[in-house]
Amino acid sequence: MGPLLTLGYRKTLDLEDVPQLSNYHSANVVFAHFRNKLESNGNGSGKVSILELVKALILLTWKEILWTALLSFVCTMTSYVGPYLIKTFVQYLNSPHQLTYKGYALVFIFFLSKFIRCISERHLFFQLRNMAIRVRSALFSIIYRKCLKLSSQSKQGHTSGENINLMSVDVERIGFFSWTLHDIWRVPLQIILALWILYKSLGLASLVACVATMILMLLNIPLGKLQEKFQKKLMDSKDQRMKVTSEALRNMRILKLRGWNMKFLAKIIELRSFETRWLKKLLYTTSAIYSFIYSSAPLFVSMATFGFCMLIGIPLGSGNILSALATFEILQLPIYNLPNTISMVVQTKISLDRITSYLCLDDLHLNMIQNLPRDGDKVAIEIFHGNFSWDLSSRSHTLKDLNIRVYHGMRVAICGSIGSGKSSLLSCLLDEVPKVSGIMKLNGTKAYVAQSPWIQSGKIVDNILFGKEMDMERYEMILEACSLNTDLELCPFGDQTIIGERGINLSGGQKQRIQIARALYHDADIYLLDDPFSAVDAHTGTHLFKECLLGILSSKTVIYVTHQVEFLSSADLILVMRDGKIVQEGKYKEIFSSGTDFMELVGAHKKALADLNSVKSKAALDNLINGEEDDNKLSNEESIQDDEEKKTKNYKTEKLDGSEGQLVQEEKREKDGVSFSVYWNYVTATYRGAFVPLIILAQILVKVLQIVSSYWMVLVTPVAEDVRPHDSQSTIIFVYVALILGSSLFVLIRSMLIVTAGYKTSTLLFNKMHWCIFRAPLSFFDSTPSGRILNRVSIDQSAVDTSIPIQIEELVISIIGFLGTVAVMSQVAWKMLIIFIPMIVTCIWYQHYYISAARELSRLFGVCQAPIIQHFSESCLGSTTIRCFNQEERFMDTNLKLVDGYARPKFHFSGAMEWLCFRMDMLASVTYAISLFFLISVPKGSLNPGVLGLAVTYGLGFSLYGVVWDLNQLQTKIISVERILQYTCIPSEPSLLGEENRPGHDWPSQGKVDIVDLQVRYAPQLPFVLRGITCTFPGGMKIGIVGRTGSGKSTLVQALFRVLEPTIGQIWIDGINISKIDLHELRSRLSIIPQDPTMFEGTLRSNLDPLEEYSDKEIWEALDRIQLGDEVRKKKGKLESAVTENGENWSMGQRQLVCLGQALLKRSKVLVLDEATSSVDTATDYLIQQTLRIHFSGSTVITIAHRITSMLDTDMVLLLDNGLVLEYDSPAKLLENQSSSFAKLVEEYTRRCSSQFLRG
């Protein structure tokens, strides 16, 4: 440890400075060992019982358990040497004829016992910490492995909030149990030894001490039951809060844009107040009462014992009293440890229950697919009488009576209306949907592109390679095929650009193309593509289809779901689905006239094109589906070749080195010492710190009364047992009882004050942090992974709730206890201060030398825990993709590396702590031995031997170790407050509350939008994205916004909702400057339907009407208008139908319709549609357009859409180019002008689509 502490003293430690763990402690070795033990104990069913889990953990750590048991026994035995010899020492001091060497021998024995205890205790604590690290590593890894194997049904039943608590709270608690593991047998041993010493000193009175001890211990049984109840309720309420918090953080963008963020904050605060009720009960009934019992235990036992002695006439000498007092002091520990042990057993059992229930969840039903031999068989996929169901307990199957045969090299298209089972069919080919009956065969490896893009946090190149080696030639070919080259050129870091969480800094089209590139690079035999073209514009979709499906994948088996009718004609086989069945199959021409389902899809498409032809009759657009190009946040390929060179010149940025410009930065870690302001903010948060002096005063009175009571007993009783005391026995015991009861009363007052101040402070910090998080600008969430925020609202908040108040209490007790001991020992001989002062100075120097490294190590393992949780929650979301690409082992290895990264600073922090404590203990032992030499050198008769003995008794517990330990523990824990306070200083979005900034209730009444010289940029150092836009959207008009990559479409929408504030210029809605309106008011009056449809866990009603403003009748009307009414009426719960986390039990298209339903209910005068129909089929899209036309006839509807049919249905088209208005007129007028950019755009799409998809 020496070199690391020296390095930490000289500089701020980083993770690279911390040495690697030995092989024995590495997560890889620990997990392999643990998994083998768990599997060898298992019953073969894959289910794990608590007994099996505990047995595997014991077998994993049996060496540490045996070694720590031996050390624990040695510690216990040596701790009783002092109390046993006190009586002999007092007799030596009282006798004038004792030999001098006997005194030196006693001093040597006292010193030797303290020395052996010091050595054994330091090794014991170090080994216990190591054991905890191994247990944590094993549990982190087994829970992560389970998340990769869970079935979809199991994932729906276990939310991400619960999973985060498993990884953060439960694993931590089980690891911490190692500290109380040996108390199960050590507490009875300590009590037996104590009673034996008391019997030697006081005879029958020891039985009273035994009874008093047992009564105090029995008091813990009801307390233990209460604690179990309160702890379970607290964890359940914490789960609920974490579930809502993680869901809100994942969807913060849509919450902000819809003005729902404060509603969700209120919901979280309400859940927290419910959680706080259980927290208060837990703290008051357990922490405060336990603390009272712990501090008062020796006082009550001594009161009962001495009273009994006086009552039956057992002679009490100073030696007997001091021996008894020293023993009672040691009895304090087992009396406290028993309830603490019960509490830890209860908490650990609850956590083990929760982890076991997670490990017992159903895994994916593997081996449902028969893998055909790859050579010689022409069949790639075959399903015979296949019935599949997401829920095996349900009577109705998800997919019914499937019969499919697909040969190698075939392109198979799947189409159908929303909710017909298209995505479920792909999922069953991925082995994700449980098979009820039938046969399914598959020949070859698979690659998958999900409908909702799953992008990992990290570099773009890592997302594309996805664990495979770099083949530069293939890589470049795939970038070109996926239109990603221009994107990467326009990125400052190229393909080294770090993607934010869930691809937050990518557009929907870019995420989809990176997914496709990942699948292509994998070079599989069978490709499963779930609606890969919905998120990209028409040109890019055409390019992807030509280069990828018809080019690179021409020899592969490709099964693709699509809503674009144009992409069906190139398929070798088309499957039309309805209600989980394949109702039609064949080639395009074969099924075109053979059934109604396919005709519905094509008919709706042709109807949309007919409306288009009425605008531009000469354009041959019969097969055109897509329209506008997606508004990328980075870039994509240009479609008009003339503009390509110009655009690249305009936008190409210089490549940067390092990570300064990356969106996601390393987590901020404070440097140097924890600032005094952190402590000050914490202690003054409640009643401006008024409780602090009261708590200190209460503890001073506790200690003073304890010392006075000890002096009283020693001074009023004679040294020799055969001499009668001067005062009556009733007076002696009455004064002693009064002092004891006074001390106990102040203990209770201190505990109550600490608990009250603690929970009030934690509530204030919680509310302040959450208020700041929910008021933070969206840029904060774009650049901050949710794992970092969740770490603060779970782990750090738990520390502030319970650990820090207790730690402060223990520090106050330690400091005042140490000062009391010094006072008692110095009062005997002032010369002892000559030893105490240098010892204290040396200890302070050691502590100062140690704390720099220890503090940074503590911060490092705080920072290193967030990536474990982040990687875990990310892997849970992408488990389908991970399994399809057979990447489980690689992801497991990443998890093990992250666990090692967390364990390294944790392990070395343990070593640093014991390094310091060993030196503290040795200094205390030497100082105590020197003090004893002083005492035996005092001339006999000059001081009362009882007072000298009292100094020796107090000296038994003399050590700065307790103070330093508690101070270091507090410094470690207070970092949680520091991290929470960081998040109370996040810059907030602008808010202008007050009636003068609140528009009228009917605003906006017309929906007229005036944009005046609007200039916007993303950061002060970046160039303008919008460079002086001036235009007017008349009220009640339908406005289409088009423009090429980076033209500013998305930026304009963000400016409208004030996600970005204008640098220059203004936006006026109905004559009011939106910059002067309260932000929440503005967003709640406008409506937006986003590209990525979002549903929250709860019910359908709570999703449609989260603010509870509408009647059932209005909700049903909205559902009927969006074509979901009949579907919902079929469901058992109707409007109360369950919505699981992320809305996973509803299809993507249905989620998009629900978002439309929200807008219909709100009926804002300004509605923005951002690719709002990208995930629905053409027929449904046409119905949605009709719905918008009818029900938003008086509203201003601003549309960014990929379908050109949607764009040409607008009243006005705004064409942006490089942040400027290029054209703004009606579609008809723009199309009349052959030279207009809009006309060129439509002409190009017509030409491309006609040449590629209208053959034959």
Side-chain angles (χ1 to χ4, degrees):
M1 284 307 305
L4 185 63
L5 289 171
T6 305
L7 186 64
Y9 184 67
R10 290 176 182 161
K11 60 162 280 204
T12 301
L13 287 179
D14 292 311
L15 192 59
E16 298 75 40
D17 300 320
V18 182
Q20 293 293 333
L21 293 171
S22 67
N23 216 26
Y24 179 72
H25 286 105
S26 74
N28 204 3
V29 172
V30 170
F31 173 60
H33 192 186
F34 178 65
R35 185 181 57 195
N36 292 338
K37 298 297 178 191
L38 198 60
E39 288 172 357
S40 63
N41 289 333
N43 51 23
S45 65
K47 305 287 183 185
V48 179
S49 67
I50 285 191
L51 192 64
E52 288 164 353
L53 185 63
V54 170
K55 189 178 175 185
L57 287 170
I58 290 171
L59 289 171
L60 175 73
T61 55
W62 69 270
K63 289 179 185 174
E64 287 88 351
I65 291 171
L66 289 179
W67 180 226
T68 51
L70 175 63
L71 292 168
S72 189
F73 179 76
V74 172
C75 272
T76 304
M77 297 307 288
T78 52
S79 66
Y80 281 88
V81 171
Y84 181 73
L85 291 176
I86 282 283
K87 184 177 178 181
T88 309
F89 194 74
V90 172
Q91 286 171 350
Y92 167 79
L93 293 173
N94 190 42
S95 172
H97 306 297
Q98 293 281 4
L99 295 170
T100 310
Y101 81 87
K102 188 176 179 182
Y104 290 122
L106 283 170
V107 171
F108 177 73
I109 293 169
F110 274 121
F111 172 73
L112 187 64
S113 67
K114 281 194 75 112
F115 177 75
I116 293 170
R117 184 182 175 186
C118 160
I119 295 285
S120 56
E121 197 167 59
R122 299 286 57 84
H123 279 285
L124 170 66
F125 286 2
F126 184 63
Q127 290 298 332
L128 287 174
R129 283 201 187 89
N130 288 349
M131 187 159 69
I133 290 169
R134 283 172 65 78
V135 166
R136 283 190 199 99
S137 296
L139 292 175
F140 274 143
S141 305
I142 202 77
I143 291 169
Y144 182 83
R145 190 182 72 147
K146 182 69 178 180
C147 100
L148 294 180
K149 296 164 68 179
L150 279 185
S151 67
S152 296
Q153 197 67 23
S154 297
K155 278 199 283 188
Q156 286 181 13
H158 233 260
T159 64
S160 60
E162 291 171 317
N163 295 344
I164 289 161
N165 271 349
L166 278 183
M167 291 289 269
S168 58
V169 179
D170 293 304
V171 170
E172 192 68 27
R173 186 172 289 142
I174 293 167
F176 194 71
F177 178 69
S178 62
W179 286 92
T180 50
L181 177 67
H182 295 298
D183 288 343
I184 297 164
W185 60 265
R186 197 162 93 166
V187 168
L189 176 64
Q190 287 172 319
I191 292 168
I192 290 165
L193 286 170
L195 293 175
W196 176 68
I197 291 170
L198 284 173
Y199 181 75
K200 296 279 286 183
S201 301
L202 303 173
L204 285 174
S206 62
L207 295 174
V208 175
C210 178
V211 171
T213 304
M214 294 312 295
I215 289 169
L216 285 169
M217 287 185 164
L218 287 171
L219 280 175
N220 294 314
I221 294 173
L223 280 174
K225 287 181 178 175
L226 267 180
Q227 187 176 34
E228 180 175 12
K229 176 188 171 185
F230 294 155
Q231 187 70 41
K232 193 169 188 314
K233 294 286 187 183
L234 179 65
M235 288 308 298
D236 289 343
S237 57
K238 197 187 287 280
D239 278 348
Q240 285 297 316
R241 172 174 65 83
M242 287 304 299
K243 183 167 65 179
V244 176
T245 305
S246 59
E247 193 169 41
L249 292 175
R250 272 199 312 275
N251 301 297
M252 188 57 77
R253 178 171 290 275
I254 196 62
L255 290 183
K256 291 261 186 194
L257 292 177
R258 287 182 178 158
W260 293 351
N261 52 320
M262 302 319 285
K263 170 74 175 176
F264 265 73
L265 175 60
K267 190 175 178 182
I268 289 167
I269 297 290
E270 185 185 338
L271 287 169
R272 170 65 183 180
S273 66
F274 182 70
E275 181 186 338
T276 306
R277 287 207 292 273
W278 292 113
L279 179 66
K280 280 163 65 177
K281 288 177 181 178
L282 184 71
L283 290 174
Y284 277 122
T285 56
T286 56
S287 299
I289 304 298
Y290 277 155
S291 183
F292 173 68
I293 290 174
Y294 172 59
S295 298
S296 305
L299 309 178
F300 282 124
V301 175
S302 60
M303 186 173 71
T305 309
F306 294 152
F308 181 76
C309 289
M310 297 279 186
L311 192 66
I312 66 166
I314 294 174
L316 285 173
S318 296
N320 290 343
I321 287 172
L322 291 171
S323 180
L325 285 175
T327 308
F328 295 149
E329 210 47 48
I330 292 181
L331 258 181
Q332 184 181 24
L333 199 61
I335 290 171
Y336 172 71
N337 275 348
L338 184 67
N340 194 38
T341 304
I342 292 167
S343 160
M344 280 307 299
V345 168
V346 165
Q347 291 182 34
T348 305
K349 183 182 178 297
I350 290 168
S351 292
L352 283 166
D353 271 334
R354 287 154 57 83
I355 289 175
T356 305
S357 69
Y358 182 75
L359 295 178
C360 285
L361 291 173
D362 287 335
D363 286 350
L364 199 64
H365 296 273
L366 296 173
N367 304 319
M368 293 187 300
I369 296 178
Q370 297 177 21
N371 289 309
L372 298 168
R374 293 184 65 176
D375 297 328
D377 200 324
K378 292 181 180 179
V379 177
I381 298 167
E382 187 170 20
I383 303 176
F384 183 68
H385 291 317
N387 288 289
F388 302 85
S389 180
W390 286 111
D391 184 3
L392 290 172
S393 61
S394 172
R395 290 183 179 178
S396 61
H397 300 152
T398 309
L399 298 170
K400 305 153 206 166
D401 199 26
L402 297 185
N403 290 283
I404 307 168
R405 177 175 286 183
V406 178
Y407 294 97
H408 280 298
M410 281 180 70
R411 282 189 297 276
V412 180
I414 304 172
C415 59
S417 59
I418 58 169
S420 58
K422 303 183 295 297
S423 296
S424 294
L425 177 54
L426 289 191
S427 294
C428 92
L429 295 174
L430 288 166
D431 219 356
E432 294 284 327
V433 189
K435 184 174 68 175
V436 179
S437 62
I439 298 168
M440 182 162 53
K441 298 177 181 178
L442 197 135
N443 183 350
T445 56
K446 296 168 291 195
Y448 174 57
V449 174
Q451 187 175 20
S452 297
W454 179 74
I455 302 292
Q456 257 191 296
S457 302
K459 296 175 183 174
I460 292 174
V461 63
D462 295 335
N463 269 280
I464 295 172
L465 298 183
F466 209 55
K468 292 187 78 89
E469 292 294 319
M470 169 63 85
D471 176 347
M472 191 52 76
E473 188 180 339
R474 182 172 180 79
Y475 181 70
E476 292 292 345
M477 175 183 73
I478 286 166
L479 290 182
E480 178 62 39
C482 295
S483 301
L484 282 169
N485 273 328
T486 312
D487 296 80
L488 299 181
E489 281 175 18
L490 305 187
C491 244
F493 296 90
D495 61 4
Q496 299 299 308
T497 298
I498 292 176
I499 299 170
E501 190 176 13
R502 302 183 312 281
I504 198 83
N505 51 332
L506 301 175
S507 72
Q510 285 170 327
K511 286 189 272 192
Q512 194 69 287
R513 284 180 285 131
I514 287 172
Q515 272 208 129
I516 294 169
R518 175 170 65 204
L520 292 178
Y521 195 83
H522 199 68
D523 195 23
D525 302 313
I526 299 167
Y527 282 80
L528 307 172
L529 314 177
D530 196 351
D531 205 8
F533 311 115
S534 64
V536 297
D537 60 272
H539 165 63
T540 309
T542 304
H543 177 88
L544 287 172
F545 196 83
K546 178 186 174 185
E547 298 297 326
C548 300
L549 268 75
L550 303 181
I552 295 173
L553 301 180
S554 58
S555 62
K556 306 285 186 180
T557 308
V558 182
I559 299 182
Y560 61 99
V561 172
T562 187
H563 290 129
Q564 284 93 329
V565 176
E566 305 309 337
F567 295 135
L568 298 176
S569 58
S570 294
D572 300 313
L573 177 67
I574 299 171
L575 305 176
V576 184
M577 298 198 69
R578 185 182 66 212
D579 298 330
K581 293 180 180 177
I582 296 172
V583 291
Q584 286 177 271
E585 60 179 300
K587 289 201 171 189
Y588 187 90
K589 289 180 179 177
E590 292 171 9
I591 63 171
F592 185 74
S593 56
S594 64
T596 58
D597 292 271
F598 191 64
M599 284 301 294
E600 274 179 25
L601 294 171
V602 177
H605 173 59
K606 285 188 175 289
K607 174 79 174 94
L609 292 180
D611 292 342
L612 171 61
N613 286 331
S614 68
V615 179
K616 185 175 181 295
S617 57
K618 64 179 179 177
L621 300 172
D622 280 341
N623 279 311
L624 187 61
I625 270 192
N626 301 331
E628 224 287 18
E629 190 167 340
D630 63 332
D631 183 20
N632 296 332
K633 297 175 189 171
L634 301 179
S635 173
N636 73 3
E637 184 183 294
E638 294 307 322
S639 53
I640 298 180
Q641 300 301 317
D642 297 345
D643 288 346
E644 249 180 38
E645 193 176 333
K646 179 185 83 174
K647 297 290 286 187
T648 304
K649 281 181 184 174
N650 284 341
Y651 283 101
K652 196 162 184 177
T653 56
E654 188 181 342
K655 294 282 186 287
L656 303 174
D657 293 321
S659 63
E660 288 77 9
Q662 295 281 20
L663 176 74
V664 181
Q665 296 289 324
E666 290 271 327
E667 183 169 0
K668 182 184 176 186
R669 178 162 62 95
E670 299 290 345
K671 303 292 183 184
D672 303 321
V674 176
S675 167
F676 175 74
S677 65
V678 174
Y679 293 96
W680 183 252
N681 285 330
Y682 181 79
V683 297
T684 58
T686 306
Y687 305 122
R688 297 188 178 180
F691 279 17
V692 176
L694 294 175
I695 290 164
I696 293 170
L697 178 62
Q699 181 54 30
I700 289 170
L701 290 170
V702 168
K703 196 66 190 174
V704 167
L705 289 170
Q706 282 179 2
I707 291 170
V708 170
S709 68
S710 300
Y711 266 107
W712 171 256
M713 287 304 287
V714 167
L715 290 172
V716 298
T717 53
V719 177
E721 295 175 18
D722 52 353
V723 179
R724 288 184 62 80
H726 297 295
D727 298 286
S728 67
Q729 291 186 341
S730 57
T731 305
I732 293 170
I733 202 67
F734 177 77
V735 172
Y736 186 68
V737 167
L739 292 168
I740 292 297
L741 289 176
S743 179
S744 300
L745 176 65
F746 285 114
V747 166
L748 188 61
I749 290 169
R750 180 204 71 209
S751 298
M752 289 298 179
L753 286 172
I754 283 276
V755 166
T756 304
Y759 93 78
K760 281 184 177 292
T761 302
S762 74
T763 301
L764 283 168
L765 288 174
F766 178 91
N767 291 345
K768 193 173 180 184
M769 172 173 65
H770 279 73
W771 174 262
C772 289
I773 289 171
F774 277 74
R775 290 286 300 156
L778 277 171
S779 56
F780 169 76
F781 299 97
D782 291 350
S783 58
T784 308
S786 63
R788 290 183 194 170
I789 304 172
L790 290 171
N791 234 3
R792 281 166 173 81
V793 301
S794 60
I795 297 170
D796 292 322
Q797 187 62 48
S798 288
V800 175
D801 285 344
T802 53
S803 304
I804 293 175
I806 293 167
Q807 211 59 58
I808 289 174
E809 182 178 32
E810 289 181 357
L811 179 63
V812 170
I813 293 169
S814 296
I815 291 172
I816 293 169
F818 176 77
L819 293 174
T821 301
V822 169
V824 170
M825 293 178 76
S826 302
Q827 183 266 335
V828 175
W830 66 267
K831 295 172 188 174
M832 289 188 186
L833 288 173
I834 299 169
I835 318 159
F836 291 147
I837 291 168
M839 192 230 29
I840 290 168
V841 169
T842 308
C843 284
I844 290 169
W845 182 86
Y846 268 129
Q847 202 269 345
H848 178 68
Y849 179 77
Y850 146 92
I851 195 63
S852 302
R855 185 177 51 239
E856 295 312 316
L857 288 168
S858 176
R859 281 177 176 147
L860 278 171
F861 65 70
V863 168
C864 289
Q865 191 164 10
I868 299 174
I869 294 166
Q870 170 79 14
H871 186 244
F872 172 68
S873 54
E874 199 169 60
S875 300
C876 286
L877 287 171
S879 57
T880 302
T881 302
I882 294 167
R883 288 192 288 249
C884 173
F885 287 93
N886 297 316
Q887 294 291 309
E888 295 99 322
E889 284 304 314
R890 183 171 68 87
F891 273 76
M892 190 71 219
D893 287 344
T894 304
N895 174 67
L896 293 172
K897 283 173 187 168
L898 290 172
V899 171
D900 272 341
Y902 169 69
R904 269 164 59 204
K906 194 98 174 167
F907 175 85
H908 289 91
F909 176 77
S910 303
M913 177 70 86
E914 297 315 320
W915 179 94
L916 176 69
C917 291
F918 172 73
R919 281 154 181 77
M920 295 284 182
D921 276 355
M922 287 310 299
L923 280 167
S925 299
V926 170
T927 307
Y928 181 57
I930 295 170
S931 303
L932 291 181
F933 278 117
F934 268 118
L935 293 177
I936 61 173
S937 64
V938 171
K940 289 187 170 50
S942 62
L943 275 173
N944 185 326
V947 174
L948 291 175
L950 187 63
V952 177
T953 305
Y954 269 80
L956 284 171
F958 172 72
S959 175
L960 254 180
Y961 156 71
V963 176
V964 172
W965 169 271
D966 290 330
L967 182 61
N968 288 333
Q969 287 293 94
L970 179 60
Q971 286 183 323
T972 302
K973 297 289 184 187
I974 206 75
I975 289 169
S976 291
V977 176
E978 180 184 67
R979 284 157 58 79
I980 286 173
L981 288 173
Q982 280 177 356
Y983 276 27
T984 60
C985 303
I986 306 165
S988 290
E989 289 179 310
S991 180
L992 300 165
L993 295 170
E995 288 303 316
E996 68 278 8
N997 300 313
R998 200 181 297 276
H1001 290 294
D1002 60 343
W1003 180 88
S1005 56
Q1006 298 174 345
K1008 182 185 177 187
V1009 180
D1010 289 300
I1011 301 171
V1012 182
D1013 190 28
L1014 187 66
Q1015 298 185 42
V1016 175
R1017 55 185 168 194
Y1018 281 89
Q1021 71 274 17
L1022 296 177
F1024 284 103
V1025 180
L1026 299 181
R1027 304 189 300 156
I1029 290 180
T1030 301
C1031 63
T1032 297
F1033 300 161
M1037 287 279 202
K1038 307 291 179 283
I1039 311 295
I1041 302 178
V1042 298
R1044 307 198 185 285
T1045 297
S1047 59
K1049 304 187 298 296
S1050 169
T1051 309
L1052 182 57
V1053 170
Q1054 290 187 66
L1056 188 64
F1057 282 85
R1058 284 180 59 197
V1059 172
L1060 295 170
E1061 294 287 340
T1063 309
I1064 302 169
Q1066 300 158 347
I1067 299 177
W1068 297 70
I1069 298 179
D1070 281 1
I1072 294 180
N1073 184 348
I1074 64 169
S1075 296
K1076 305 295 183 188
I1077 301 173
D1078 175 62
L1079 192 58
H1080 184 262
E1081 280 291 320
L1082 170 69
R1083 290 171 179 171
S1084 62
R1085 304 292 180 92
L1086 310 180
S1087 287
I1088 185 168
I1089 304 174
Q1091 183 174 4
D1092 295 325
T1094 302
M1095 287 178 78
F1096 298 92
E1097 186 171 4
T1099 64
L1100 180 62
R1101 181 201 298 276
S1102 68
N1103 272 275
L1104 283 165
D1105 181 23
L1107 305 182
E1108 299 172 2
E1109 297 173 327
Y1110 306 104
S1111 66
D1112 282 10
K1113 184 183 176 186
E1114 289 172 305
I1115 294 172
W1116 279 115
E1117 282 176 3
L1119 284 170
D1120 288 331
R1121 286 169 187 162
I1122 58 173
Q1123 311 298 314
L1124 266 183
D1126 293 339
E1127 182 72 28
V1128 174
R1129 286 185 182 92
K1130 289 178 193 172
K1131 293 182 179 289
K1132 189 178 177 182
K1134 304 287 193 294
L1135 291 180
E1136 301 303 320
S1137 297
V1139 176
T1140 58
E1141 196 171 16
N1142 300 321
E1144 300 223 346
N1145 58 335
W1146 295 73
S1147 76
M1148 180 77 90
Q1150 288 170 329
R1151 281 179 255 167
Q1152 198 101 54
L1153 291 177
V1154 169
C1155 291
L1156 179 63
Q1158 292 162 349
L1160 281 173
L1161 283 168
K1162 195 171 177 183
R1163 292 189 181 177
S1164 298
K1165 282 293 181 179
V1166 178
L1167 171 66
V1168 177
L1169 283 83
D1170 185 4
E1171 323 289 5
T1173 57
S1174 60
S1175 297
V1176 297
D1177 57 88
T1178 314
T1180 309
D1181 178 43
Y1182 184 70
L1183 289 168
I1184 289 170
Q1185 296 303 328
Q1186 292 292 98
T1187 304
L1188 290 172
R1189 202 174 291 136
I1190 296 165
H1191 298 289
F1192 285 91
S1193 55
S1195 299
T1196 305
V1197 181
I1198 301 167
T1199 305
I1200 300 171
H1202 288 148
R1203 288 188 168 105
I1204 201 76
T1205 50
S1206 303
M1207 197 53 60
L1208 293 175
D1209 191 39
T1210 57
D1211 298 313
M1212 302 285 282
V1213 171
L1214 174 68
L1215 198 148
L1216 298 178
D1217 181 62
N1218 200 12
L1220 296 167
V1221 176
L1222 198 63
E1223 294 169 1
Y1224 182 45
D1225 212 330
S1226 68
K1229 286 189 178 177
L1230 290 174
L1231 288 171
E1232 283 172 11
N1233 181 0
Q1234 293 284 318
S1235 62
S1236 76
S1237 295
F1238 184 67
K1240 284 182 183 177
L1241 188 71
V1242 174
E1243 188 63 42
E1244 181 198 358
Y1245 288 152
T1246 307
R1247 178 169 41 79
R1248 283 178 181 274
C1249 292
S1250 299
S1251 64
Q1252 289 177 28
F1253 298 115
L1254 295 178
R1255 296 168 187 165

